[in-house]
Amino acid sequence: MLESYLRNRLKKKDILLMTHLVLGYPSMEDSFRIIETMVEAGVDLMELQIPFSEPVADGPVILHANQMALERGATVKQAFELAEKVVKNFDIPFLIMTYYNILFKYGVPRFVSEMAKKGIKGSIVPDLPPEEGEEYFNAMEEHSLSSILIFSPTTTLDRMQYLAGFAGGFVYCVARKGVTGSSTDFSEELAGYLSMCRNTTNLPIALGFGVKEKKDVDFLTQKADIAVIGTQTIKVIEKDGIDAAGDFIRRLR
Amino acid sequence: MLESYLRNRLKKKDILLMTHLVLGYPSMEDSFRIIETMVEAGVDLMELQIPFSEPVADGPVILHANQMALERGATVKQAFELAEKVVKNFDIPFLIMTYYNILFKYGVPRFVSEMAKKGIKGSIVPDLPPEEGEEYFNAMEEHSLSSILIFSPTTTLDRMQYLAGFAGGFVYCVARKGVTGSSTDFSEELAGYLSMCRNTTNLPIALGFGVKEKKDVDFLTQKADIAVIGTQTIKVIEKDGIDAAGDFIRRLR
Amino acid sequence: MVESRYYGQYGGSYLPEILVSTFDQLVTAFKEAKNDPAFWEEYEQIMSSYSCRPTPLTFAGNLTEYFGGARIYIKREDLNHTGAHKANNVMGQGLLVKRMGKKRVIAETGAGQHGVATATMAAKFGFKCTIYMGEVDIARQRPNVFWMERLGAEVVPVTDGTRILKDAINEAFRDWVTNMDDTHYVLGTACGPHPYPEMVSYFQSIIGREAKKQIIKSEGKLPERIYACVGGGSNALGIFSSFLDDSVELVGVEAGGDGLNTGRHAARLASKDGTVGIAQGFKTYFLQNSDGQMQETHSVAAGLDYVGVSPILSLLKEEGRVRFESATDREVLDALSLTLKKEGLVPALESAHAFAQAFKEVPNLSRDDIILINQSGRGDKDIFTIADAFKDPDWQKFIQQKAEEYRA
Amino acid sequence: MVESRYYGQYGGSYLPEILVSTFDQLVTAFKEAKNDPAFWEEYEQIMSSYSCRPTPLTFAGNLTEYFGGARIYIKREDLNHTGAHKANNVMGQGLLVKRMGKKRVIAETGAGQHGVATATMAAKFGFKCTIYMGEVDIARQRPNVFWMERLGAEVVPVTDGTRILKDAINEAFRDWVTNMDDTHYVLGTACGPHPYPEMVSYFQSIIGREAKKQIIKSEGKLPERIYACVGGGSNALGIFSSFLDDSVELVGVEAGGDGLNTGRHAARLASKDGTVGIAQGFKTYFLQNSDGQMQETHSVAAGLDYVGVSPILSLLKEEGRVRFESATDREVLDALSLTLKKEGLVPALESAHAFAQAFKEVPNLSRDDIILINQSGRGDKDIFTIADAFKDPDWQKFIQQKAEEYRA
Ligand SMILES: Cc1ncc(COP(=O)(O)O)c(C=O)c1O
Ligand SMILES: Cc1ncc(COP(=O)(O)O)c(C=O)c1O
């Protein structure tokens, strides 16, 4: 179970690191190497994004990665093959992140059971509110996978409680309004928001959107359980190559 | 009196020739030479057009001549000076042809008295129907100048009779619909029209619009008293120079 | 008989003999139509089912607030089919052409609006159509040329004279004197020989009839002032005509071009440069020299770039019933810009003259006052001129790319 | 709570969490407005005083005669202010924005009509305005970009994805998730998450309400068939909605592009290529591959070049209540040309799809039958595309001359 893995891990570390990458960008082979590098650098869990042509919630960097992956021929089948391979090779939990149409076209129960078969621990589907997700949540429960739900700064207390009822593994708290990749103000206000998130769920909480350096991770320590690094790793790799990702991760903590 | 001059002349010739030119085109000096050449070639009377910026009833060739004359600075004053000079030098009747605004801006009575003073015998104002011309017709009568009126193929019998009441010197019959310079079909129909014109007025009748070669003049002999050559002389001069105009006229009869 | 109607000393019918019978026929047909109540009904019917009449009267709340003076209403002739008040005149004459049994129409055009309107009417009524347009105007109103041709009309460039509106009128007359039997000349404004000034004003009077009802309905009273641009005068007479007997100040706005003292303008009544003359078949104020030769005019708005003006307006000026003002090209572009941003309305460059003058005066009026501006047309057609005036770099880049494509 | 309304299996509200409260607010505001009789009154009032509603229903006598089949009527949405039915939706949403107290609007646009309409509404209501538009569409609808900018809107070129309408929608959402507090997203068609399909159709229903009264008044009976083009579906739903319970055949016409069997088209419902999916916040038919990746679409008409379609239309297709057809680019240009020449009407390229399909069918209908075509907009904006399609040499020369001037 994802949650207990995280709880155990949190006994040893003040804060965990989750990184993100787009499968097939720059290529499927490179994706494998990036994952390998990151695992070696000590990330605690990873979200693997299956590219989609309309990634509405993503900012320019991840959007571009999605598009390039698709242009180079990335398919859902290849994504699952890669997922299977990394699960076999590396001893951390992996999550699938993608938009709902990818599941829908695949067949939601079939997609979920495929995740389970490949050893994936859970998934994040940013455009699927629980109200629309009965089929998905049922399938996830059936396969004991963690449905990672999202809290945002516009989410009311009531709704956080409602969402918490569907959440598994941990809760992904979005640091601010906007899409991925813009910068975040790590301030008292953010701390207040995090403590509100903390109070509404018993699950560990992750904070993502705009985490990009040690200072940010230090700020989050104690306030959140997981720091999520998304856009910044893509930027590092685009600038300095895959090997640089390892150093980058190591320097965060 | 213009009419009696024409009657006398007609005793010696089967048909008279009237030519037309635009004063100031190509220049005032050239206009004088053209008139000289034509008089020597035996034309019986001439209409001198004072250029106007909006010569609505004229076709492209005469329109262009009007515009060029104005561009080169032709004025009404210069036109009168030239008129005076040719009247002194040549022993045929000269008429002024122009649009009504030229008279209007000059002052109609003043313009008419100026014509009389210069020895001009009459005038043609193609955009002035008698209904609008009281001031003009009064002044013309006062100075015993001939008001040349126009009959056209669309003029009804009634109206011809009405117009005849204002006409002096001769009547200018337009050969066909359209502006100056297009070609005319010298046909039985034209002959019929001319005999209708003849029957409505006791004045000599001229035919103009499209007369351009001996054949046309021959056709008109007996049917009309005067053949009017307008556009064609300008074309001859534009093509072969002023001296060619003399030969052109001589070959018409 | 030439029937010539005068407005004071202005108007008349200075026709070449060849056209006398054609005008006879036209005068008679128009008189009969005017006296036939079914005709105006048919006219209103077609204007409401084919165009969009009654056009709305729009309250310009933002401009009103911005200037802090009188309440500004805008009569929306831009919403007519083909985008200007020209539709009113053209459809009316189209119905007359049907009555006369003619099969072909010709027209002059300056801004191209009257040409497009005539070509449209010809398509609708099944007439053949030829449009005369000065070369200079073709260059500045190309989109309208494109549409005329697509509508099936032949567009003949006029290369004589100043190559603008007045020269196109001359050419149209030259066509007409040849083809009057089957052809009607659809003159585009309240100028030319009788019956045109009366006839065109009659059809355009639909603007004022509606506007009067509409303002009374909205405000319960008449406006203090009404502004209209003046090219030939048809949209101005169209809106003014219903208010002549009321105590409403009427303001006609002519093209000030580079300024009245530069000589580069088209203000026949608002400047001291206009004098009475006779051309294009009628007597009125013209911009002419002392010999009576017509002068070059200038305006950013092709539709106002005309050397004469309606004889009816000349009389109204003489009587002091209409005040004439002018707006410069620069003032017009500023007024256009402001109207776009404040109200989301795109006046034609012609119409923007009326806006410009109103904007000069409105701050000095009281908040209880009402003014009415006639938006004679929409500015879509003016995109090239406006883009040039604002030196829009993206537009220029776009045009250059297009040109590259065409070169390939 | 996410309120998600379904039409059969289509529709829904697939929202990122960050937008849930914004949609809550919008759903509530729209519900209140809908239940407030004064709201629709205010809406009708503004549409009649600022735009030109009711728009006429024009009898197309020449086309009727030409085809010798049913009597053809045309609903004239082209006479709306800004030149298309888009005005209806935009002004309605503008009133809602006022109710919600927001100060900024954003919108996507394909043909540019919705962008111009939104920029216009923003100017009128005093909102700030940003328009997202795909690079490909900017190139083919440049005049509209020019006007949006002149109206004071910021136009942001979208360089991601296929660089057309769907990508502009994605970008607008990205703006919205950042700025939802003071910003309303004015979606341009009956797509997107609830309440957009319902809300946009509601405002557009003014078309059908009027058309029904008008045809009954003219002919005393309902039409046999109604044709409308289908991009997102808003003009089609606008006119269809009043006839759903009548025995009138409703025909939606999609973009056939180069032909349904070429893969280069945008026919989601009329072709076999569309399958159900979820994107841009709602479930409907999309042109997508088996993985669920959206495909490139193609149409000569930017406004129909969209990968999805209204969920309401997907249901109406499933129920067999609306028949879906397509017209190819070539057929559309021919229909446009014919309509210009025969009736003097200039349909937008989008609208011309409806004409093209109607022309295929009308000869087979009886002379007693009536059909109705929705002319959703006017073609002025399409001058570059149409000139290119007809390879107009004078136009090309003109553009090259302009380019020369700009180089100097
Ligand atoms: C939109 C518009 N307004 C005004 C005019 C000026 O004409 P008039 O003074 O006859 O209204 C024109 C002429 O083309 C025009 O197109
Ligand atoms: C004139 C016109 N018609 C139709 C459409 C297609 O949209 P819808 O299907 O929502 O009416 C557009 C879209 O831009 C348009 O501009």
Side-chain angles (χ1 to χ4, degrees), chain D residues 291-306:
Chain D
D291 265 6
Q293 310 296 355
M294 298 298 138
Q295 301 291 82
E296 281 216 35
T297 52
H298 169 77
S299 170
V300 70
L304 303 189
D305 208 351
Y306 180 51

Side-chain angles (χ1 to χ4, degrees), chain D residues 107-147:
Chain D
E108 87 292 347
T109 195
Q113 287 303 109
H114 177 59
V116 169
T118 304
T120 298
M121 177 274 276
K124 170 86 179 161
F125 284 110
F127 303 142
K128 286 180 64 181
C129 180
T130 303
I131 304 291
Y132 293 93
M133 186 168 185
E135 249 189 352
V136 170
D137 292 334
I138 286 186
R140 54 182 166 174
Q141 306 276 321
R142 186 81 224 179
N144 274 338
V145 177
F146 177 81
W147 292 119

Side-chain angles (χ1 to χ4, degrees), chain C residues 60 62-63 66-67 72 74 227 229 253-254 300 304 326-362 371 373-375 377 379 382 386 389-390, chain D residues 123 147 150-151:
Chain C
N62 299 331
L63 285 170
Y66 180 80
F67 287 110
I72 304 173
I74 297 171
Y227 296 85
C229 69
V253 189
E254 294 185 299
V300 70
L304 303 189
S326 67
T328 63
D329 291 354
R330 189 67 255 163
E331 289 166 344
V332 163
L333 288 163
D334 290 346
L336 179 66
S337 228
L338 188 71
T339 307
L340 269 154
K341 294 219 161 68
K342 287 282 168 197
E343 298 291 345
L345 301 178
V346 194
L349 281 168
E350 288 78 12
S351 325
H353 284 71
F355 286 75
Q357 186 60 30
F359 294 170
K360 291 184 216 166
E361 302 184 6
V362 71
I371 68 164
I373 303 173
N374 196 22
Q375 183 174 347
D382 294 318
I386 298 174
F390 290 108
Chain D
W147 292 119
R150 288 282 132 216
L151 285 158

Side-chain angles (χ1 to χ4, degrees), chain B residues 53 58 67 101 132 159 177, chain C residues 6 13 17 174 181 278:
Chain B
S53 56
D58 286 299
Q67 278 173 14
N101 200 44
E132 299 286 10
R159 186 164 177 83
K177 294 168 190 166
Chain C
Y6 274 87
S13 198
E17 188 53 40
R174 290 191 185 101
D181 289 345
I278 291 147

Side-chain angles (χ1 to χ4, degrees), chain A residues 53 58 101 132 159 177, chain D residues 6 13 17 174 181 278 293:
Chain A
S53 56
D58 285 300
N101 199 42
E132 299 286 11
R159 184 163 179 82
K177 295 168 191 168
Chain D
Y6 275 86
S13 197
E17 189 53 41
R174 288 190 186 101
D181 288 345
I278 291 146
Q293 310 296 355

Side-chain angles (χ1 to χ4, degrees), chain C residues 141-173:
Chain C
Q141 305 278 327
R142 185 81 225 180
N144 274 338
V145 177
F146 178 81
W147 293 119
M148 288 181 249
E149 291 180 344
R150 289 282 131 215
L151 285 158
E154 182 194 13
V155 180
V156 180
V158 176
T159 56
D160 299 310
T162 46
R163 296 170 297 139
I164 59 175
L165 186 53
K166 81 166 173 58
D167 311 285
I169 294 181
N170 290 340
E171 274 311 304
F173 271 113

